Amino acid sequence: MLATAEIVVVGFPFPLDLRTRAPKLKWVHQRPAGTSNMLRGDLWNTEVVVTSSRGYAHNLPIAEYTLAGILHFAKGLNMVETERVERAMNAPAYKPMQLAGKTVCVVGAGGIGREVGRLCAAVGMRVVGTRRNAAPPSDGFTEIHGPDGLYGLLAESDYVAVCCQWTPETEKLIGADAFAAMKQGAVVLNIARGEIIDEEALIAALAANKLRGAVLDVYVGEFDRPPDPRLWADNKVLITPHISAAADINSHGGNGLFVQNLRRYIAGEPLENVIDWERGY
């Protein structure tokens, strides 16, 4: 079927040799919102048009996961496993915090990031964020800056939610300088791609007690190896196997976007969410 296909819809994982196996291919629509997975295949930077589901994916479940991660460390629930192992309770070690009034910085205020901001604002948090270009406040955000405003926002944020695309510009975006700019006792949450955080810098920040915690639904090399043992062994780190988008209700809008784009394709109109290979998404 691939040998005769002009249009293909893919999920994850997808055939890495798709272009080779589909010589008549003109357009591929991928249901994932991120585009970095395309780096593993033979479509990147080719003449084949590729569209993503950016802005149409499981935004709400991912935002709920992010809020759950914030609450996990805000209420000191990471202490539970330590108590279970030691068979002794230590109430003062929990150091629970109230979320209302705290600040969360959303790095990448796109479709997913804006939903994260909306939920955080709903529990009384102050929401700030960054994106490729500064934008007026909306969806619960009080400030949305461009990339040059990141460090200023990190300095005043209790929680940092990484929601941006992984591109050459964002690789190791959260590195030693970013951790140094953060508030003492901040919590970092990554629901985007592992490569956006410099893991050595993260491990150093945790060892120096700079951070209250880290929530990682992704990590560097997640498709090829287990997490770094230093992260997995730290009770200040919550690691999950890229499940933030999972839910009992399917709210993914990628198929609907494909149908809309198919109508445009047939009519010869521009498609929505065409991946810009140079930009990286």
Side-chain angles (χ1 to χ4, degrees), residues 39-170:
L39 288 166
R40 299 168 63 88
D42 63 356
L43 292 171
W44 192 271
N45 207 23
T46 68
E47 74 285 354
V48 177
V49 174
V50 182
T51 53
S52 74
S53 298
R54 179 167 56 90
Y56 291 86
H58 284 124
N59 297 350
L60 181 56
I62 295 173
E64 290 178 342
Y65 172 97
T66 305
L67 184 57
I70 289 173
L71 283 164
H72 179 79
F73 283 105
K75 303 306 178 184
L77 300 183
N78 57 304
M79 294 303 303
V80 172
E81 190 58 31
T82 299
E83 291 181 334
R84 190 193 311 275
V85 171
E86 296 179 354
R87 295 185 178 274
M89 291 190 171
N90 183 8
Y94 280 69
K95 298 178 182 176
M97 303 173 68
Q98 177 177 292
L99 280 191
K102 300 297 189 299
T103 297
V104 57
C105 175
V106 178
V107 182
I112 293 171
R114 285 182 177 271
E115 190 69 359
V116 169
R118 186 184 70 82
L119 288 195
C120 289
V123 296
M125 301 184 74
R126 172 177 173 255
V127 183
V128 298
T130 64
R131 56 180 303 158
R132 178 176 285 270
N133 297 300
S138 62
D139 300 310
F141 284 78
T142 59
E143 301 174 40
I144 301 178
H145 294 255
D148 59 349
L150 175 60
Y151 285 11
L153 295 180
L154 293 180
E156 58 190 56
S157 298
D158 304 283
Y159 301 90
V160 179
V162 179
C163 305
C164 60
Q165 296 271 352
W166 171 33
T167 70
E169 293 174 329
T170 63

Side-chain angles (χ1 to χ4, degrees), residues 97 157-159 182-188 209-213:
M97 303 173 68
S157 298
D158 304 283
Y159 301 90
M182 290 181 194
K183 286 180 68 173
Q184 179 66 34
V187 174
V188 176
N209 290 319
K210 174 74 176 187
L211 304 177
R212 183 177 174 96

Side-chain angles (χ1 to χ4, degrees), residues 15 27 33 47 75 85 141 156 179 189 243 253 260 279 281:
W27 167 38
E47 74 285 354
K75 303 306 178 184
V85 171
F141 284 78
E156 58 190 56
F179 286 115
L189 308 99
I243 49 81
Q260 295 173 30
R279 187 176 64 177
Y281 62 91

